[in-house]
């Protein structure tokens, strides 16, 4: 089972209610997701064979997952042959232990980090802090999140929930030497981050990164980014450690061509992101002389063993599904309580961590299907959500504990199984309606949560059945009793 | 062989029994899906690959100019701020740097902090992509180590017309993945604050592309 920071305390409804009450958050999110949705649509619209590209993306990832063991062994062989060192980690704890050990042996007390969902998933920064090692996040948004001791809320724009004034305050409070003179212009704020981190890049002995893909055939890793902090981390330090989920591997070098076309347009809505770096082991006198990769399972083989769930492993973390999701747009990333928010988070988290660990997540969706439409690797997220809901119900049925929903449903099943019982209830309904004068919901604390945000339907004064009985001549042929 | 390694591989093999793959292991090879060059609606159709490349580079807030073979040196000279420190990798064509007195050629003795002290770096590239306006460096002759084209705040890249390919797949086909590759599409940028695009974060804040005939 996956562990680490995959999931947090509490359930989705509680966190969502909290988020919905925050007007500033909703405004920040609404503005940002609307902008990015429009830009993505334009970037994708420019590509004539986008649908074929999506299918190719799905095919590449599925082909790799079908022979994942061979892919990983192949990758290991090639990466090691060119001077890299490959480590394997079953879970978060094991991955963190490997990294802490490498750092202790290197003697480094500080590391610079490139934004990586995987290192967040395993709670690496926390593990490093415990080992007395300081980790500097170098991506602008990650820096904002780290300085304010916050949690990221989006894959791509982790500080999407913050606006410029909030960020200005965070910098003033936490970056040494920044006075009250700092303005709130994004360019000025960015320049402040640049000068703050410059010295850290030049001094860093070790960097930690994730990878957007690993190529089995050639033993190549790649990082896709915008700011150049990735290039700094991948190039300047003496030692580089990359944490890579086992599902990131693709079979052939040529496959990256497809990913390079799908990812930037889906993610930042660009034809191409400013920088993409690839490396295959160590290059003499260019970049780090010691290069490690930690291949991480942490629940991925759980997902792989699930006939439906394994589709989620195709994900290339572009975040397009977050930006189009009506639920994400309103509650934001934190409500999901996982490092993986949004529609994909609602499926990948339970498949990695176990359905019952995060039982409320698959219900955090309207099943509208917008996520599937935009997904560059065609993950059918709505079907996965339905599968997870079914798994949760099956699990709940195994328990003796009776939920109100279950009581109502089994009563209904008993009633509907017999025509006589059904008729009786049909006659009772209108009577009940009259008796309670439209306020029958109050009599039904069982469905109180359901009626909290909805108007309860009032039982009609006449049912179809008694209407028909009163109009004998019309429905003669339809009678079966 | 570690215990973790064999356990993970065993779990993957076991997963094939509970969830048998529908897809053939490894996607069948296919003709590269190169995005056909398409002008945005309303824009005049660019003339050929070079035109498209220039248009797409310019779209990223980089400058781009097409120059004749014999006027490269002159153009490089005009892109460099007078009196600033300029560095170039070994093998960068000498005829292009004729007018630059203060030019330093990179060598092992230059530290990271030395490189950070240069205002401008000159380089060539390995391949360029028209459809996305991308230049790709592979550390070959005239391109230098990765830190060199990263630390100076201003990067001038010389691209030969013959190096420009149509799409991303074409470029992937031409590149050697064993070399460290850097794909550059415009100057470094971020949109992390309210999705407002800001040019220049850690990578060079200014990118100039010089396209030379043939
Ligand atoms: S599920 Fe698809 S759309 Fe969502 S982040 Fe992953 S690849 Fe992107």
């Amino acid at each position: 089972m996956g562990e680490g920071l995959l999931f947090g305390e509490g359930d989705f409804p509680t966190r969502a209610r909290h988020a919905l009450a925050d007007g500033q958050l909703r405004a920040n999110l609404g503005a940002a997701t609307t902008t990015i949705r429009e830009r993505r649509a334009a970037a994708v619209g420019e590509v004539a064979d986008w649908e074929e590209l999506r299918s190719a993306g799905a095919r590449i990832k599925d082909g790799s997952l079908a022979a994942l063991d061979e892919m990983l062994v192949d990758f290991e062989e090639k990466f090691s042959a060119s001077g890299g060192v490959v480590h394997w980690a079953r879970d978060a704890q094991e991955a963190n232990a490997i990294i802490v050990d490498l750092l202790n042996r290197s003697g480094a007390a500080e590391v610079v980090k490139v934004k990586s969902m995987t290192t967040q998933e395993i709670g690496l920064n926390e593990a490093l802090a415990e080992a007395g090692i300081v980790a500097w996040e170098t991506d602008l948004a990650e820096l904002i999140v780290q300085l304010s001791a916050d949690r990221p809320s989006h894959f791509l724009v982790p500080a999407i929930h913050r606006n410029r004034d909030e960020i200005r305050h965070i910098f003033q409070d936490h970056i040494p030497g920044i006075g009250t003179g700092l303005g709130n212009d994004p360019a000025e704020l960015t320049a402040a981050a640049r000068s703050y981190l410059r010295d850290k890049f030049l001094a860093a002995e070790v960097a930690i990164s994730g990878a957007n893909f690993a190529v089995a055939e050639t033993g190549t890793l790649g990082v896709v980014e915008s700011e150049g902090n990735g290039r700094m981390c991948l190039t300047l330090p003496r030692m580089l450690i990359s944490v890579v989920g086992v599902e990131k591997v693709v079979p052939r070098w040529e496959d990256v061509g497809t990913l390079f076309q799908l990812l930037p347009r889906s993610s930042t809505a660009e034809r191409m992101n400013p920088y993409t770096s690839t490396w295959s082991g160590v290059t003499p006198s260019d970049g780090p002389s010691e290069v490690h990769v930690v291949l991480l399972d942490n629940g991925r083989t759980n997902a792989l063993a699930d006939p439906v769930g394994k589709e989620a492993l195709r994900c290339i973390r572009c975040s397009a599904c977050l930006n189009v999701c009506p639920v994400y747009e309103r509650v934001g990333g934190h409500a999901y309580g996982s490092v993986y928010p949004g529609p994909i988070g609602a499926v990948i988290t339970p498949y990695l961590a176990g359905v019952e660990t995060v039982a409320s997540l698959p219900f955090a969706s309207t099943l509208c299907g917008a996520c599937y439409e935009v997904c560059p690797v065609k993950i059918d997220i709505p079907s996965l959500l339905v599968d997870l809901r079914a798994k949760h119900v099956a699990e709940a049925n195994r328990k003796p504990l009776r939920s109100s929903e279950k009581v109502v449903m089994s009563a209904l099943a008993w009633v509907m199984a017999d025509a006589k019982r059904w008729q009786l209830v049909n006659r009772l309904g209108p009577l009940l309606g009259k008796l309670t004068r439209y306020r029958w919901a109050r009599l039904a604390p069982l469905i109180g949560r359901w009626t909290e945000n909805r108007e309860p339907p009032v039982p009609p004064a006449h049912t179809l059945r008694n209407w028909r009985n009163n109009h004998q001549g019309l429905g003669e042929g339809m009678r079966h009793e | 062989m570690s215990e973790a390694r064999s356990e993970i591989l065993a779990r993957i093999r076991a997963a094939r029994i509970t969830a048998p793959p529908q897809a053939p292991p490894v996607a069948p090879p296919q003709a590269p899906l190169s995005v056909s060059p398409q002008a945005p609606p309303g824009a005049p159709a660019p003339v050929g690959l070079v035109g498209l490349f220039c248009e797409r580079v310019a779209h990223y807030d980089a400058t781009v100019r097409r120059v004749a073979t014999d006027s490269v040196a002159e153009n490089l000279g005009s892109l460099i701020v007078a009196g600033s420190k300029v560095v170039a990798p070994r093998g960068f064509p000498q005829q292009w740097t004729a007018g630059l007195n203060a030019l330093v050629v990179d060598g092992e003795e230059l530290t990271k902090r030395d490189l950070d002290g240069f205002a401008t770096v000159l380089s060539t590239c390995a391949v360029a992509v028209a459809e996305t306006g991308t230049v790709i460096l592979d550390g070959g002759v005239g391109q230098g180590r990765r830190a060199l084209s990263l630390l100076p705040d201003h990067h001038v890249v010389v691209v030969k017309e013959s190096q420009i390919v149509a799409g991303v797949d074409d470029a992937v086909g031409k590149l050697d993945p064993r070399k460290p590759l850097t794909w550059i599409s415009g100057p470094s940028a971020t949109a992390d604050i309210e999705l407002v695009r800001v040019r220049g974060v850690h990578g060079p804040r200014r990118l100039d592309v010089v396209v030379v005939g043939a």
Side-chain angles (χ1 to χ4, degrees):
Chain A
M1 290 289 162
E3 45 157 74
L5 294 184
L6 254 179
F7 49 87
E9 297 283 305
D11 61 357
F12 180 80
T14 318
R15 286 185 299 252
R17 208 166 290 134
H18 188 72
L20 285 170
D22 184 344
Q24 180 69 63
L25 174 77
R26 288 181 67 177
N28 294 356
L29 273 172
T33 51
T34 309
T35 311
I36 203 163
R37 271 201 303 267
E38 284 160 10
R39 286 188 200 159
R40 179 207 156 266
V44 163
E46 198 179 277
V47 181
D49 49 6
W50 183 253
E51 286 309 311
E52 284 146 68
L53 266 177
R54 286 177 77 207
S55 304
R59 236 179 1 249
I60 288 166
K61 293 295 259 190
D62 277 352
S64 183
L65 294 172
L68 193 57
D69 50 341
E70 290 162 38
M71 298 293 146
L72 293 170
V73 170
D74 219 17
F75 172 83
E76 177 183 49
E77 190 191 313
K78 301 288 156 43
F79 193 79
S80 320
S82 45
V85 184
V86 178
H87 309 259
W88 301 69
R90 281 166 283 199
D91 52 33
Q93 207 194 343
E94 195 160 38
N96 290 333
I98 292 168
I99 298 164
V100 167
D101 184 52
L102 285 171
L103 289 171
N104 283 341
R105 278 194 281 143
S106 79
E110 283 191 9
V111 294
V112 284
K113 281 188 69 203
V114 197
K115 187 177 88 138
S116 143
M117 301 294 304
T118 315
T119 60
Q120 279 164 32
E121 172 192 325
I122 61 176
L124 178 62
N125 288 4
E126 290 75 2
L128 292 178
E130 220 164 276
I133 298 160
V134 181
W136 298 104
E137 291 292 352
T138 62
D139 175 86
L140 177 56
E142 290 287 353
L143 177 70
I144 295 166
V145 167
Q146 186 182 40
L147 289 176
S148 54
D150 199 353
R151 282 279 182 91
S153 65
H154 189 280
F155 296 171
L156 187 72
V157 206
I160 199 168
H161 57 291
R162 297 282 196 189
N163 67 17
R164 58 184 77 189
D165 292 315
E166 296 174 283
I167 294 166
R168 177 172 147 243
H169 280 124
I170 292 169
F171 280 12
Q172 281 175 338
D173 292 350
H174 299 281
I175 296 185
I178 285 202
T180 43
L182 183 73
N184 70 354
D185 177 43
E188 203 179 320
L189 295 168
T190 304
R194 176 188 161 100
S195 54
Y196 175 60
L197 287 173
R198 196 73 177 187
D199 206 56
K200 306 220 181 303
F201 287 133
L202 292 170
E205 289 282 300
V206 183
I208 297 176
S209 80
N212 292 87
F213 57 84
V215 183
E217 171 188 65
T218 55
T220 306
L221 292 175
V223 163
V224 172
E225 51 131 0
S226 296
E227 296 175 8
N229 60 317
R231 290 177 71 190
M232 294 279 176
C233 292
L234 303 173
T235 312
L236 300 181
R238 190 174 49 72
M239 178 184 189
L240 171 64
I241 307 170
S242 307
V243 187
V244 183
V246 290
E247 85 287 9
K248 286 282 169 12
V249 67
V250 296
R252 287 171 306 228
W253 170 243
E254 67 184 55
D255 297 330
V256 304
T258 305
L259 300 185
F260 283 2
Q261 291 172 77
L262 287 169
L263 184 54
R265 288 180 200 261
S266 301
S267 170
T268 43
E270 290 166 304
R271 294 192 178 108
M272 192 56 87
N273 50 291
Y275 301 132
T276 297
S277 304
T278 68
W279 68 101
S280 309
V282 174
T283 309
S285 39
D286 186 350
S289 53
E290 204 181 326
V291 173
H292 296 265
V293 59
V294 180
L295 296 174
L296 177 76
D297 181 347
N298 205 36
R300 284 160 180 77
T301 50
N302 275 350
L304 190 69
D306 188 294
V308 182
K310 66 177 179 179
E311 195 174 316
L313 294 177
R314 282 186 206 152
C315 176
I316 56 173
R317 312 273 189 264
C318 73
S319 71
C321 58
L322 277 62
N323 303 324
V324 298
C325 178
V327 176
Y328 178 87
E329 187 181 1
R330 285 166 183 81
V331 302
H334 292 154
Y336 295 82
S338 162
V339 297
Y340 300 111
I344 184 63
V347 297
I348 197 85
T349 314
Y351 283 122
L352 295 181
V355 187
E356 288 313 291
T357 323
V358 285
S360 63
L361 272 187
F363 296 87
S365 166
T366 64
L367 300 180
C368 74
C371 46
Y372 175 49
E373 302 260 299
V374 296
C375 178
V377 285
K378 282 190 160 174
I379 300 175
D380 186 357
I381 297 175
S383 296
L384 269 59
L385 287 165
V386 170
D387 172 65
L388 284 163
R389 291 181 186 185
K391 286 192 165 84
H392 170 64
V393 171
E395 193 57 41
N397 275 343
R398 254 198 298 264
K399 289 180 194 154
L401 211 149
R402 313 218 113 206
S403 69
S404 55
E405 184 192 359
K406 226 174 119 183
V407 172
V408 172
M409 284 301 171
S410 30
L412 202 61
W414 179 77
V415 169
M416 290 175 95
D418 181 277
K420 290 262 158 19
R421 285 177 217 151
W422 181 236
Q423 275 176 45
L424 182 72
V425 169
N426 261 296
R427 253 176 261 127
L428 278 174
L431 192 69
L432 193 67
K434 270 181 220 152
L435 275 176
T436 55
R437 303 224 169 239
Y438 306 142
R439 305 177 78 176
W440 71 296
R442 292 217 169 162
L443 294 179
L446 276 181
I447 55 168
R449 272 178 62 195
W450 193 85
T451 54
E452 207 173 272
N453 299 304
R454 299 172 181 88
E455 282 297 318
V458 176
H462 301 284
T463 64
L464 180 65
R465 204 176 282 263
N466 62 32
W467 179 87
R468 192 215 36 213
N469 289 341
N470 296 340
H471 296 72
Q472 290 288 344
L474 290 170
E476 213 47 81
M478 290 160 61
R479 284 234 236 155
H480 294 296
E481 304 128 315
Chain B
M1 293 300 121
S2 78
E3 202 185 301
R5 180 185 188 274
S6 36
E7 197 178 318
I8 293 170
L9 291 174
R11 284 188 208 165
I12 292 170
R13 285 167 196 143
R16 262 207 293 280
I17 298 161
T18 50
Q22 274 112 41
V26 182
Q30 50 196 334
L33 287 163
S34 268
V35 176
S36 45
Q38 264 190 339
V47 188
L49 281 188
V50 181
L52 180 66
F53 173 72
C54 294
E55 182 201 303
R56 298 275 152 108
V57 171
H59 183 80
Y60 294 124
D61 293 329
T63 78
V64 57
R65 52 175 83 185
R66 294 176 71 168
V67 308
T69 332
D70 56 2
S71 61
V72 178
E74 188 188 317
N75 273 281
L76 291 185
S78 74
L79 285 167
I80 290 159
V81 178
S84 60
K85 287 176 74 187
V86 183
V87 64
R90 269 189 221 129
F92 189 83
Q94 273 178 7
Q95 70 272 25
W96 292 348
T97 55
L100 303 169
N101 319 328
L103 182 84
V104 173
V105 175
D106 183 32
E108 307 247 313
E109 71 287 352
L110 291 180
T111 64
K112 294 184 259 190
R113 288 190 192 270
D114 292 335
L115 294 179
D116 194 38
F118 288 97
T120 300
V121 55
L122 308 174
S123 83
T124 60
C125 73
V127 180
V129 186
E131 178 231 323
T132 57
T134 304
V135 294
I136 305 162
L137 274 59
D138 72 359
V141 177
Q143 299 167 55
R145 49 179 167 152
R146 286 172 285 170
L148 179 67
S149 48
L150 173 64
L151 287 166
D153 206 13
H154 175 208
H155 184 189
V156 182
V157 192
V158 184
V159 178
K160 288 185 188 157
E161 283 183 8
S162 58
Q163 292 180 306
I164 302 174
V165 298
V168 171
D169 281 323
D170 305 301
V172 169
K174 278 189 174 255
L175 291 162
D176 180 353
R178 287 166 305 181
K179 296 180 177 171
L181 304 175
T182 308
W183 297 54
I184 300 172
S185 309
S188 76
T190 184
D192 277 352
I193 301 174
E194 295 181 16
L195 297 175
V196 176
R197 190 181 164 98
V198 175
R199 186 178 89 167
V201 195
H202 305 294
R205 285 185 276 194
R206 186 173 153 207
L207 177 71
D208 295 319
V209 179
V210 177
V211 181
V212 197

